[in-house]
Every structure is written in C-alpha cells, then in structure tokens.
C-alpha cells in the first residue's frame, strides 16, 4: 500500500496516510541545551558580514568550528571513546537547529560531523576511528564527499572513476566534480568503480581518502557569487592502503544510499533562509506594514510545519527506523520553502538591493545562492521521482 | 497511535466507509450516536469517551477522508462546549462560524452564520460578539437555510433576546483546527483516488502514472498532503496542551495552502472523469474548497500569526517556536470505546 505502514489500521482499511507521525518527547534537557548553545553563540559569533549568515552550513569558519568543538558541541552523538559526547540523536538535532537558526558559520565541519564520522563508526576499522573521529569532534578535521563526476550528476550510477587492486592496496584514477570543501577538507569519502567493466550501481565501493595523498589535484570552481565552495578533484594513480576501503567491496551504492535519510531530513534542509525570515519579522514589527506582517505569519506557518516534519523523521530515526520516504518529502518541501523566502520577501517589500540594509543584504545573497538548494543532496526532480515511486507510480 | 486510538480508528473508518455514499441525517445519525462518537471529548463520568484532541484528530481526519455528510465533527466540539458550560440540551449540537449582534444580560439578539446543519441541531455554539463563545438553543431561532459549495448545510440563525450560556473558549480557533484535521483526511483520500486513477487509466499505450509529468505532479500533491497531515497532528498536540493560538493559525494556513494545490492536482490527474457528478472526487474537493474559507482564510490567520510573532522582539522569534515544542506534553487522556473499561 503506498505510504501505508504495516499493521496500522489505516493500512488494513486501504486508507492512504502520507506521513506517519509517532509522538515522541523532546529530551527533558532541551531547554538547558538550547541555552548552552545560545550562550556559546553570544560569546563566539561576531557581528561581521550579515550575508554570511545566509545558507550558513556552507559558510566555512575553522576558528568557529574549533571553538564549537572545544565547547563540546560537535560530535554530540558520537561515542565518548572517540572524542564524542554520547548524547542522543535528538539532543544533536537541537544543537544543530539552534546553530542554523542564527546563521552560525558551521560549514567547515558540517559534512565531517554529519556523514564522515557516522560512516567511519559504522564501517571503519578501529584504527581509522581513532585516527579521524576525535579530530572531527574537535572541529579540526574536515571532510568532503566525492560522488558527482563530469558525466555522473543526478545519474550517479554512471560514475567511472576507478579503484584497482594493487597488491594489498588500491590505486585510484579518475575525476570528481562539484566537491564542496575539498579545498579545506582533510579526508574524502569517495565512490569508485572497484571492478572494471561493471555496470550502473553494481560493484561500486566507498573509499576513505586522505587528501594529502600524492597524485591528488584539487582545483577550485568559483560559483556565481564569486565564492569558492566547490572543486574539481583529480586522481592520478593515487595509491591507498587496503583499509582505505570502507565497508564491503562492491557495496558502495547500498552504503551511500543508506545514509540518505540522515542527509535529507535534517534541519539544514529547511533552515537555510531562516535568518531572512527573522529579519523579515524584525522589519514587519518596525514598519507595521500589514503585507509584511502577513508574510511573517505565512513563513511561520511553513517553518513550523517543516520543523514538525523534520523532528518527526528525527524521532523515528532515533527509534531505529528508516523513514526514507518521509525524509525525501522533508527535503523537497524544505528546499521549496527556503527558495520561496527570498522570492516572497522581494515580492512584498520594497528592497534597495544596493543598500546595506540587513534585509536587502540577506535577500540578495539568498536570491543568488538558493537555486543550489534544490540541486545539492538530490535534485527536486530526483526526489519527486522517489516520492512517486513511494506512491506506487513508476 | 496507542491501542485505544487504533480501536477508535478501526471503528470509525468501518462506519464512515459504510456511510460514505450519501448518508443522511434522518437515516444514519442514529448509527453515529450508537457508537458514542459525539461524546468523544466528554469525560467518562459525563458519559463520554474521555478522549482528547489527539483522538479527535483521528476521528475528524477519517470523517474528512470519507467525505462524511453528517455533522459529526461539529457535534463533537459542541458537546464538549455544552458540557463545559453546563448547558444541558436533548439532541446534538453544532458550531457556527460567526455571530453579529448584541449580547446583554445573558441574552443574544442578532444573527449567527455558518451554523453547520443548524436546521437539525438542538443547540449551537458560536463565537460571542465580545469574545469567547455562546451557546444557544436553536428552538429560539428563525432558521434561514443555506449550504456551502459542497452541499453541507451552513444555516443562518436569527435570534431575538434568546437566552445564552457563555464560556471563554476561542471557538473560531477550535473550528479552524477541526477543519484542518478534516482537510488532512480529504487530501489523503483525493491523493489515493488520483494515484489509483493514473495507474489504471491508459493513454499512449501505457498507464498515465508512467508519465514523468504526471508522477512529478502527484509527488507535489503527496508532499502537500503530508504537510497538512503533520500540521493536523501537531495542532492536536497543542490543543491538548491548552496553549494553541499559534499552532491553530499555523495549521490552518498550511492546510489551506495544501488544499489549494492538492485539489488542482487531483482534478488535473483525473481529467474529465473527475469532473463528473458520478465519480467520487468532487465530494472531497468541493469540501476542501469550502473548508478553506470556513473558520479563516490564509490571509486571516497569517495576519493573526504575523501579529503574534511581531509583537515579541525578533530575536525571540526562534526561541518562541522551540519553546512551544519543548513544553512538556501531558500524557494523552486516551479514549476507550463505549462500554469499554478505559
């Protein structure tokens, strides 16, 4: 039954329920934890360029990341023995949403904390965990993800970069592209074809690649605002030891896609424009403009709903489930909201985009960077294809 | 859902599915009363289920899903208000959207509008002119029969010096929450119909559902239905907590948006057949269009929510949103079937 869930009465009666919500309690220490993060932000966030608060999980500030790590606010749900803090997934969620809501520059460590460390915990060797995770939790070691290639974008199963066995080890060749933060990262988790001539998503493998390994060349790709986020990464006979293989040989596709719920439903999928929402609320309060007040109400409704959805997915994942479809829905709706925010602010408010008015600066920044929101981490069209399959179409 | 809620959902969906084709008050209301559903929000010692809003959300969603053409949702809310006000009446009550007139010394003179099945109800709860709600006996009214575009009775009641009981509850907000819950169910039902239809209907030698343009449109619809359903669930939690103005506004805005998008996609996917009287889409979409206007438009609630968030310092905007979900939820009072031990 599309969207039905085994055992639910709705399912037995043939009813469709699009989103399964299981009530869960926020951690009892939620308020105290929020206060801890807010105090950190007051002490550590400077009043610099306000435009850098937009889309802040792609804004790098290694000093901020180190201070955050020192305060114990990275690697929250990682085990203590690897430098983590043994906290629950929902406690981690609270810390993330607090940081994102004010536009904290968390880009440097974001991928390492969200994906690299959990992957190493699940598939890495003991030595790899000890080597890398403490640095990640300290906000000192950064990661990047090597998926896309020049001919493998949304069609990721077309990756051609190769990993060939060489004695005990591996030799990598090929090219990755659109690799966010390769230029500041210490390690990449990359998807390579580990059997020559294999097709589509079969026989792909994940590798842990220290980016200072000889044979790796990283070149910047400057984005439309003139900033350097992503890169091309070239692999030219890059020699890696046997344990560079993460998890099982040939299971790279399954391993990479198993992480998608975590990647797609997080608070970063709807909060990238939240600082502009807050600035609009400030503007509406000051001006008393009814159109701005109504827009503030509408944004609040959408943000509130998305937060409930994102939390519901986090709550189910904390119970060990994988609500992949719900996570996909959160990302699609969340991205659409993040993109609509600057468009609607521009539609309703008279903005002078050449001024240094905070509302104008944030709107201008988000108008330019928001097209990427529904591209990164799975395009809108790919996501809607997944939802359609979940509906029983295709 | 807990076990009792599962039982409630099972009983309700079985009955509503049975009643989904042209139920009438005269023929079928007795079956609703036999189940004891109208006492859902009454304490057990008052002869009710002892249920909370989380339970009501399940019932109201299913009423929407099956396009139930009986005033169950309104009767449930009205019974609770009458019980709270000590307003004893025989027969079922209903709720109305608006009242205009004077309320003085316990008597109301004026007009009550949008009274669902007002012509059949024993009493009506309506927003009182000065705030709060008032309860009136329909026997005191001259009834002007009207209906919404879905054919649901929405009567105008004229009162002259009619005695009224009052209570402080924001009835307009309760009505908005109830419509959000019904709309969430109706959207899921319209989505199920559309999915079923495009999988059956063949054009160009294959089911319509194989066409990417159709798939993408229905995915958009599914996302909207999901948003409406989570909003309806979350607003019930807020109602059970007792501090709900923010959440009711947010939920009604969001379900109204979803209704606008969802009805358009549902009809587009169905083509001409969805436009016929015979086919079962219009009982859902015409209700969705009606409910979108009842108990407040997007603009109405956007202004209310906008004023709410702009009266505080913008730096507290986020803290206000998170505080509302961090608040400890009292455990749901739950519900049991009639004759069951809770």
């Amino acid at each position: 039954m599309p969207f039905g869930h085994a055992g639910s009465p709705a399912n037995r009666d043939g009813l469709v329920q699009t989103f399964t919500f299981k009530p869960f309690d926020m951690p009892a220490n939620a308020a105290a934890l929020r206060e801890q993060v807010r105090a950190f932000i007051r002490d550590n966030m400077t009043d610099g360029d306000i435009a850098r608060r937009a889309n802040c999980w792609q804004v790098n500030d290694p000093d901020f990341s180190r201070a955050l790590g020192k305060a114990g606010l990275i690697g929250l749900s990682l085990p203590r023995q690897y430098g983590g803090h043994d906290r629950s997934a929902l406690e981690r969620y609270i810390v993330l949403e607090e940081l994102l809501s004010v536009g904290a520059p968390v880009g440097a460590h974001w991928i390492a904390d969200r994906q690299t460390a959990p992957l190493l915990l699940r598939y890495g060797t003991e030595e790899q965990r000890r080597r890398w995770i403490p640095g990640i939790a300290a906000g000192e070691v950064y990661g990047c993800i090597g998926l896309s290639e020049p001919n493998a974008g949304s069609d990721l199963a077309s990756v051609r970069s190769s990993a060939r066995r060489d004695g005990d080890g591996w030799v990598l060749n090929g090219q990755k592209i659109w690799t966010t933060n390769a230029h500041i990262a210490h390690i990449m988790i990359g998807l390579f074809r580990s059997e020559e001539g294999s097709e589509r998503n079969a026989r792909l493998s994940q590798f842990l690649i220290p980016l200072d390994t000889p044979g790796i060349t990283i070149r910047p790709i400057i984005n439309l605002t003139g900033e350097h986020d992503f890169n091309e990464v070239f692999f030219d006979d890059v020699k890696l030891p046997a344990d560079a293989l993460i998890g099982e040989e040939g299971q790279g596709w399954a391993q990479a896609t198993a992480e998608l719920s975590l990647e797609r439903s997080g608070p970063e999928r709807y909060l990238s424009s939240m600082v502009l929402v807050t600035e609009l609320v400030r503007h509406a309060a000051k001006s008393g403009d009814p159109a701005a007040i109504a827009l503030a109400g509408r944004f609040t409704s959408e943000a509130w709903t998305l937060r409930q959805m994102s939390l519901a997915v986090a709550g189910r994942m904390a119970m060990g489930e994988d609500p992949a479809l719900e996570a996909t829905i959160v990302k699609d709706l969340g991205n659409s909201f993040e993109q609509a925010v600057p468009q609607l602010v521009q539609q309703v408010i008279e903005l002078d985009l050449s001024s240094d008015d905070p509302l104008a600066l944030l709107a201008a920044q988000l108008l330019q960077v928001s097209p990427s929101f529904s591209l990164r981490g799975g395009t809108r069209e790919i996501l809607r294809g997944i939802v359609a399959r979940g509906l029983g179409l295709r | 859902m807990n076990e009792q809620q599962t039982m409630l959902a099972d009983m309700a969906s079985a009955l509503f599915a049975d009643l989904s084709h042209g139920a009438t008050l005269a023929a079928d209301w007795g079956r609703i009363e036999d189940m004891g559903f109208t006492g859902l929000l009454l304490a057990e010692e008052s002869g009710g289920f002892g249920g909370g809003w989380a339970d009501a959300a399940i019932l109201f969603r299913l009423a929407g899903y099956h396009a139930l053409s009986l005033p169950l949702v309104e009767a449930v809310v009205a019974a609770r208000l009458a019980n709270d006000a000590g307003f004893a009446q025989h027969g079922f009550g209903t709720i109305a959207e608006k009242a205009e007139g004077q309320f003085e010394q316990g008597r109301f003179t004026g007009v009550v509008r949008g009274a669902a099945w007002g012509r059949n109800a024993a009493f009506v709860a309506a927003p009182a002119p000065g705030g709060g709600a008032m309860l009136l006996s329909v026997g005191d009214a001259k009834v002007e029969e009207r209906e919404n575009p879905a054919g649901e009775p929405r009567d105008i009641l004229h009162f002259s010096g009619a005695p009224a009981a009052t209570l402080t509850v924001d009835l307009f907000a309760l009505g908005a929450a109830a419509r959000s819950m019904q709309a969430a169910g109706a959207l899921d039902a319209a989505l199920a119909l559309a999915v079923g239809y495009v999988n059956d209907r063949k054009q160009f030698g294959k089911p319509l559902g194989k066409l990417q343009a159709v798939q993408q449109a229905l995915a958009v619809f599914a996302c909207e239905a999901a948003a409406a359903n989570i909003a309806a669930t979350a607003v019930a939690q807020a109602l059970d907590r007792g501090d709900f103005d923010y959440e009711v506004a947010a939920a009604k805005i969001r379900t109204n948006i979803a209704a606008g998008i969802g009805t358009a996609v549902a009809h587009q996917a169905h083509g001409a057949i969805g436009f016929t009287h015979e086919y079962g889409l219009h009982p859902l979409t015409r209700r969705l269009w009606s409910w979108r206007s009842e108990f407040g438009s997007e603009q109405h609630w956007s202004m209310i929510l906008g004023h709410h968030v702009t009266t505080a310092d913008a730096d507290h905007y986020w803290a206000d949103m998170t505080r509302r979900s961090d608040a400890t939820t009292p455990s749901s009072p739950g519900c049991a079937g009639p004759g069951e031990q809770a």
Side-chain angles (χ1 to χ4, degrees), chain A residues 145-169:
Chain A
I145 306 168
L147 292 176
S148 295
E149 296 181 5
N151 289 308
S154 281
D155 182 15
L156 187 59
S158 295
V159 296
R160 278 165 46 192
S161 294
S162 69
R164 179 168 49 81
R165 278 198 181 277
D166 176 40
D168 282 347

Side-chain angles (χ1 to χ4, degrees), chain A residues 2-3 9 12-19 21 23 25-26 30-31 34 38 97-98 101 270-271 274 277-278 281-282 284-285 290 293-294 296-305 307-309 311-312 329 332-333 380-381 384-385 387-388 391-394, chain B residues 1 6 9-10 13-14 61-62 65-66 188 191-192 195 198-199 209-210 215-216 218-220 222-227 229-231 233-235 237 246-247 250-251 253-254 257 299 302-303 305-307 309-310 313-315 317-319 321-322 325-326 329:
Chain A
F3 283 106
R12 289 203 300 276
D13 284 329
L15 298 188
V16 168
Q17 178 139 28
T18 43
F19 206 95
F21 178 93
D25 289 323
M26 289 296 270
R34 290 188 199 284
R38 288 169 191 171
E97 67 171 359
E98 287 298 319
S101 70
Y270 80 98
L271 285 174
M274 202 60 182
V277 173
T278 307
V281 169
R282 198 184 314 281
I293 289 170
R298 177 175 174 147
F299 285 163
T300 303
S301 162
E302 297 215 41
W304 172 82
T305 305
R307 182 163 180 270
Q308 299 295 329
M309 298 180 104
L311 275 168
I329 290 174
D332 188 29
L333 279 176
R380 168 172 294 137
E381 290 74 16
R384 290 181 181 171
V387 173
L391 284 171
L393 307 175
R394 300 182 77 181
Chain B
M1 280 198 256
T6 302
D10 279 349
S13 48
R61 177 183 174 278
L62 287 169
Y65 195 101
H66 293 285
D188 272 352
L191 176 65
V195 168
V198 302
N199 274 336
K210 298 288 175 201
Q215 292 172 3
Q216 297 268 312
L218 288 182
V220 169
C223 289
E224 291 300 312
N229 274 274
I230 200 96
T233 310
V235 79
Q237 284 188 316
Y246 183 114
E247 287 83 359
I253 295 166
R254 193 62 189 86
I257 292 171
Q299 181 67 13
S302 292
M303 288 306 289
L305 190 51
H307 279 297
V309 298
T310 53
D313 184 339
D315 291 324
Y317 175 72
W318 174 256
M321 192 182 295
T322 57
S325 63
D326 289 345
T329 348

Side-chain angles (χ1 to χ4, degrees), chain A residues 264-284:
Chain A
R264 286 185 171 155
S265 67
E268 72 270 33
R269 296 305 181 184
Y270 80 98
L271 285 174
S272 305
S273 299
M274 202 60 182
V275 284
L276 178 55
V277 173
T278 307
E279 214 47 47
L280 174 79
V281 169
R282 198 184 314 281
H283 171 89

Side-chain angles (χ1 to χ4, degrees), chain A residues 339-375:
Chain A
Q339 291 176 333
V341 167
Q343 297 278 352
L344 289 171
V345 167
Q346 187 177 38
Q347 180 183 313
V348 168
I349 313 288
E350 289 301 325
L351 295 174
D352 174 358
L353 294 180
S354 63
S355 75
D356 54 6
D357 169 27
L359 194 65
L361 289 168
L362 285 168
Q365 178 72 9
L366 283 164
L367 284 169
Q368 296 173 81
V369 301
S370 61
S372 71
F373 299 172
S374 55
L375 302 174

Side-chain angles (χ1 to χ4, degrees), chain B residues 245-268:
Chain B
D245 53 338
Y246 183 114
E247 287 83 359
V248 167
K252 187 64 162 66
I253 295 166
R254 193 62 189 86
T255 48
N256 276 4
I257 292 171
I261 297 170
T263 49
V265 177
H267 276 287
Q268 190 65 25

